[in-house]
Amino acid sequence: MSDNKDFVSTGNWGDFGTVIILDAIIFVALIVLFSCLRRSNRFGHFYAPRVYSHPEDNLPNSRSLFGWVRYTVAMTEARIFELRGLDATMKVVTLRLFLFTILSLLLPIAVAVLVTNATGDEGVTGVPQISIANIGRGSNKLWVHVACGYLFTVISLFWLYKGYRIFEDYSLVENLKNLAHNYTTLVRDIPADSNLTAANLMARQTPVKANKLRGLIQKKQALQTDQKFLRVEWEATGAVPQKKKGVACIGKNVDAIEANQQKINEKNEKIAPIRSAGFANAPATFLTFSTMRDAWETSRGTNAAVQAYPHAKPMPAPYVDDVFWKGLSATRTHRFLMTIVAVILLGLLLVFWTIPVAFVQGLANLNNIGKGGSFLSGTANWGTIPRGLIQGFLPPLVLIIFFAILPKILRAINALRGPESHSTLDRHVLASFFTFKVLNIFLVSAFGGAILNIIDQIQDGTFNLANSLGSAVPAQSLFFINLILAFAFIKYPLGLLRLGELIKTFLGRKKTPAEKAYRERPGPRNYSSTYAVELLIYALAMSYAFLAPFLLAFAAMFFAMAYLSMKHEIMYVTVPRYQAKGKHWHTVFNCAIACILIAHAVFIALLGLKDFPEVAAIAPMPILTIVFTIYMKRRFHASCDYLPVERYPDTDKEAAGANFVQSYADPVPDVHRESLDLLQEEAIPDQLERGNQAMPNLNVAGSAHV
């Protein structure tokens, strides 16, 4: 029997049960509260705004307490694609496939490995008894884990293949839609003074270098929107709106309309000289063709007119609302240099972020941090409930809060790289955020926590790397289970409740109905941050599938709750800021493959530490994964991003590109376009005014959507 029994057994069933019970109570309370608020007349429009703002969608709804669960689950992916687009559809598909992956692994792998671990010869007690920590070094029982490793690889890759097949089918429909982006090609790194012409070219729209002006216009439009509501309030009440002049609402009352108009005038004074000075063309252009065939051929780089410029980079145009105008000003050299700067900044930030993660990991190991005579030295004698609260509940909650501020920082850094679209920027953020979470939360917590568990052996000189880490790393599964429970039972229910928006909307100052409806409208969902969380849990599930397979059950709970929560939010709440033709899936797939390769690396390392004599037997697993990845990229990337040649519409029957000749005009130099955007923004309150109506008595049990 190994000397590791003591430190591996620190995860006792009492503390673990306390965490589960506490999380379950919070989960039930939050779900019941959400269900009650959602069915009420007062809050119903807040929790299902798209039922009222888009009655033409004919969304099924219910007044029963948990009827929303039934209608959310029953909503088909085809219906989501029809109403919400390909981005939302692939979000739901991803969660469903991750859930199916975990469920497929549970029975054949979890049962076999759990039984093998539980009957191990290390004599470990407590929760780690059913992990690989209970298997002795060099034991033949490790062959069970090897066999399950191959099954794990095949199952995981199969569901990722299914995901790309689904994405390909929906992409074909998306790329045939009669919309501006399917008739337009974006060409980057083309000389600003180029005279590019091509057959069937209907329009060429070249953006300008005016990033400072774009920021000023954005701020001005926000002030104009506020001014509109202040005037409506004045007309409705007969009293001039007042505001405090000073810092933190300290100072004398002043006329809010006059003060706001003064700020607008200040912005106009800054905008006028920039406009009068003129604009230089950006090294990019939008080419709109009369037919889809010409647009797709040009995007593929087969158009001779584009080939005349060797450094030109053609690509399918993003949706009009997806264009990141600031990024188009960047030259190829600028993007290259800024990418290097962004990588350096991300590396420094990654190192800095390990500090709070290490601190949180310390909270999760109270037995160990109290051994050095610290202020927590008495925690070993605490009762089950306070220990369970500190070790199991608070560390994951602190991590969730601390990582909530990270996406904004990552977005600012990645914006330096000059992306052509908001969706491209979000995919950069997704990759960065995923890297942060895997390295900081997964690897730092797994191996850092393992070091904390064996600190006594390091101090007294009895430490053995292979023997100690081989048992301590699997024992860290308890910390990750607590993290998964916090996401599944607390974070997603709180996301359904939107408490911050609720308090701001209903307990803030009184507003006119139009302003109230405008302020209540839900903001767009940023998929990059939610994907990163889901990929982190996927990485944990993959890595611990054969180390501590009971974690899979909690991962299944997480993906079930994520699927329900995100599906409800997509259908009933949020309005997307842009459509990206589902291209987040490419990044999600790459990250999922990285999760599987990390699982292989962890598994090989653990078997090596366990002195398994046939470690080479599992070498084909990562090779199989890499070969699969290469095949998938060759098989699906082009067919998903471009319309296949054999599916080009008949040219004689199609010449709709003339309808989109002004779609990609840069809004900055066009004064009329700027005013039009503002008018469209101000029209939103009238459309959402229906949200102030009382909730009707809905009974659509026979709805065709179910």
Side-chain angles (χ1 to χ4, degrees):
M1 185 178 298
S2 172
D3 297 332
N4 301 322
K5 177 179 177 179
D6 292 337
F7 69 79
V8 174
S9 303
T10 55
N12 64 76
W13 290 104
D15 291 349
F16 185 50
T18 299
V19 175
I20 293 180
I21 293 173
L22 180 61
D23 285 334
I25 292 173
I26 295 175
F27 171 75
V28 171
L30 292 176
I31 291 297
V32 171
L33 176 60
F34 168 74
S35 300
C36 292
L37 292 175
R38 190 185 187 281
R39 69 192 293 264
S40 67
N41 288 331
R42 177 172 173 78
F43 299 101
H45 68 277
F46 179 81
Y47 286 111
R50 301 205 71 167
V51 172
Y52 308 99
S53 63
H54 295 74
E56 67 279 4
D57 290 349
N58 195 24
L59 291 174
N61 210 352
S62 175
R63 291 301 303 273
S64 63
L65 188 60
F66 296 111
W68 65 274
V69 176
R70 175 163 58 96
Y71 287 122
T72 300
V73 173
M75 187 70 65
T76 65
E77 288 164 2
R79 182 65 170 158
I80 295 174
F81 177 69
E82 176 188 351
L83 297 178
R84 303 294 180 259
L86 187 50
D87 293 347
T89 305
M90 290 310 301
K91 177 67 174 180
V92 174
V93 168
T94 299
L95 293 174
R96 177 173 64 83
L97 294 179
F98 282 177
L99 176 60
F100 285 178
T101 302
I102 303 302
L103 294 177
S104 301
L105 296 173
L106 264 176
L107 186 60
I109 293 182
V111 172
V113 175
L114 275 176
V115 173
T116 303
N117 292 342
T119 57
D121 51 7
E122 283 290 274
V124 174
T125 60
V127 180
Q129 181 181 358
I130 52 179
S131 74
I132 200 174
N134 199 34
I135 303 297
R137 298 175 63 184
S139 173
N140 287 329
K141 292 184 176 182
L142 291 172
W143 279 108
V144 176
H145 298 76
V146 173
C148 288
Y150 279 97
L151 183 60
F152 150 85
T153 302
V154 172
I155 291 175
S156 303
L157 298 183
F158 167 76
W159 286 113
L160 290 178
Y161 174 81
K162 291 282 289 184
Y164 249 122
R165 287 295 301 269
I166 295 172
F167 182 40
E168 183 184 43
D169 291 341
Y170 281 119
S171 293
L172 177 60
V173 179
E174 180 72 23
N175 292 334
L176 281 169
K177 289 182 177 179
N178 189 35
L179 297 173
H181 62 275
N182 286 334
Y183 291 87
T184 305
T185 296
L186 169 61
V187 183
R188 303 200 69 177
D189 302 326
I190 190 168
D193 57 350
S194 63
N195 186 25
L196 190 152
T197 59
N200 297 322
L201 180 63
M202 301 297 296
R204 176 183 176 182
Q205 302 290 347
T206 300
V208 297
K209 295 181 178 180
N211 289 346
K212 181 178 180 180
L213 181 58
R214 297 183 200 280
L216 289 171
I217 290 177
Q218 186 177 11
K219 294 177 182 178
K220 173 187 170 182
Q221 290 179 341
L223 290 170
Q224 288 175 316
T225 301
D226 291 338
Q227 190 77 331
K228 173 183 181 293
F229 289 126
L230 289 171
R231 291 186 178 278
V232 170
E233 180 182 347
W234 182 21
E235 295 172 1
T237 63
V240 178
Q242 301 289 306
K243 63 175 293 185
K244 295 288 186 181
K245 183 179 181 180
V247 180
C249 299
I250 299 175
K252 65 178 182 178
N253 286 329
V254 297
D255 185 329
I257 295 178
E258 182 179 341
N260 206 54
Q261 186 60 49
Q262 183 177 354
K263 293 181 180 179
I264 294 174
N265 294 338
E266 292 173 357
K267 293 293 183 291
N268 284 332
E269 291 175 359
K270 295 179 180 179
I271 289 173
I274 299 177
R275 279 195 183 280
S276 60
F279 310 102
N281 287 337
T285 190
F286 291 96
L287 306 177
T288 301
F289 295 87
S290 61
T291 67
M292 284 188 188
R293 176 186 296 271
D294 292 296
W296 286 113
E297 287 295 333
T298 305
S299 298
R300 290 177 182 272
T302 59
N303 191 308
V306 176
Q307 290 176 344
Y309 300 92
H311 298 299
K313 183 180 178 182
M315 64 189 73
Y319 268 80
V320 176
D321 293 338
D322 189 24
V323 177
F324 188 61
W325 297 100
K326 292 182 179 180
L328 295 179
S329 299
T331 63
R332 183 176 60 168
T333 302
H334 178 272
R335 296 200 305 275
F336 174 75
L337 295 176
M338 287 299 100
T339 298
I340 296 176
V341 171
V343 170
I344 294 174
L345 291 176
L346 290 172
L348 294 174
L349 190 62
L350 180 62
V351 173
F352 167 78
W353 229 257
T354 59
I355 299 174
V357 173
F359 171 75
V360 170
Q361 182 59 50
L363 289 179
N365 294 271
L366 290 179
N367 281 340
N368 303 304
I369 63 176
K371 289 175 181 177
S374 69
F375 70 97
L376 291 173
S377 58
T379 56
N381 300 320
W382 287 5
T384 298
I385 293 179
R387 285 179 56 80
L389 177 65
I390 296 297
Q391 292 188 146
F393 181 71
L394 288 183
L397 192 60
V398 172
L399 277 182
I400 291 174
I401 295 173
F402 200 80
F403 272 85
I405 65 175
L406 188 56
K408 291 185 177 180
I409 302 175
L410 296 178
R411 185 175 180 84
I413 293 175
N414 281 286
L416 299 174
R417 302 169 64 176
E420 66 276 354
S421 64
H422 292 284
S423 58
T424 301
L425 175 56
D426 281 343
R427 293 199 299 275
H428 290 328
V429 174
L430 166 57
S432 303
F433 201 20
F434 167 74
T435 303
F436 266 74
K437 283 186 173 291
V438 168
L439 293 181
N440 274 294
I441 295 183
F442 179 22
L443 298 181
V444 171
S445 295
F447 290 94
I451 294 297
L452 283 174
N453 275 335
I454 57 181
I455 194 171
D456 278 347
Q457 295 186 14
I458 296 175
Q459 291 176 344
D460 61 23
T462 61
F463 169 68
N464 179 278
L465 177 65
N467 198 34
S468 301
L469 286 182
S471 297
V473 171
Q476 288 300 113
S477 58
L478 275 182
F479 171 77
F480 295 127
I481 289 176
N482 294 331
L483 180 66
I484 293 172
L485 288 174
F487 276 117
F489 288 176
I490 299 176
K491 184 178 185 296
Y492 280 108
L494 284 175
L496 287 172
L497 278 168
R498 297 159 51 212
L499 288 178
E501 297 175 51
L502 181 69
I503 294 173
K504 183 170 62 175
T505 298
F506 290 93
L507 298 183
R509 69 174 180 83
K510 296 295 182 181
K511 309 176 183 69
T512 62
E515 182 180 6
K516 185 173 182 292
Y518 181 76
R519 303 301 185 192
E520 284 179 11
R521 59 179 182 160
R525 163 59 71 175
N526 187 347
Y527 288 146
S528 58
S529 58
T530 58
Y531 269 131
V533 172
E534 291 142 12
L535 285 165
L536 169 65
I537 306 305
Y538 184 77
L540 294 175
M542 296 297 99
S543 297
Y544 276 85
F546 24 71
L547 304 185
F550 59 95
L551 183 145
L552 290 174
F554 298 96
M557 296 180 192
F558 167 84
F559 284 113
M561 188 60 210
Y563 177 81
L564 179 66
S565 173
M566 292 304 303
K567 200 173 181 182
H568 176 273
E569 182 178 296
I570 286 169
M571 292 308 300
Y572 290 94
V573 183
T574 58
V575 178
R577 183 177 60 181
Y578 60 80
Q579 290 288 341
K581 297 189 280 190
K583 289 188 177 180
H584 285 89
W585 169 254
H586 291 314
T587 307
V588 171
F589 174 84
N590 293 337
C591 293
I593 290 295
C595 293
I596 296 173
L597 291 175
I598 290 172
H600 291 156
V602 171
F603 189 32
I604 292 173
L606 262 294
L607 289 184
L609 293 174
K610 286 285 185 179
D611 287 341
F612 182 62
E614 303 295 338
V615 175
I618 58 178
M621 286 195 295
I623 297 176
L624 173 63
T625 303
I626 293 172
V627 171
F628 170 82
T629 304
I630 295 173
Y631 165 76
M632 294 293 286
K633 289 183 180 296
R634 292 180 177 177
R635 165 66 179 81
F636 288 107
H637 259 242
S639 62
C640 293
D641 289 349
Y642 301 91
L643 185 66
V645 175
E646 64 273 12
R647 299 306 298 266
Y648 285 162
D650 188 346
T651 304
D652 294 335
K653 299 179 181 179
E654 172 229 41
N659 298 325
F660 308 116
V661 293
Q662 292 297 322
S663 296
Y664 286 91
D666 191 332
V668 159
D670 189 343
V671 178
H672 172 71
R673 175 67 177 269
E674 179 189 336
S675 303
L676 179 62
D677 289 344
L678 178 60
L679 291 175
Q680 290 174 342
E681 182 182 4
E682 291 182 345
I684 292 176
D686 299 328
Q687 296 171 1
L688 292 187
E689 188 111 23
R690 289 170 292 194
N692 293 308
Q693 299 170 0
M695 182 181 250
N697 186 10
L698 299 171
N699 184 5
V700 289
S703 173
H705 303 303
V706 180

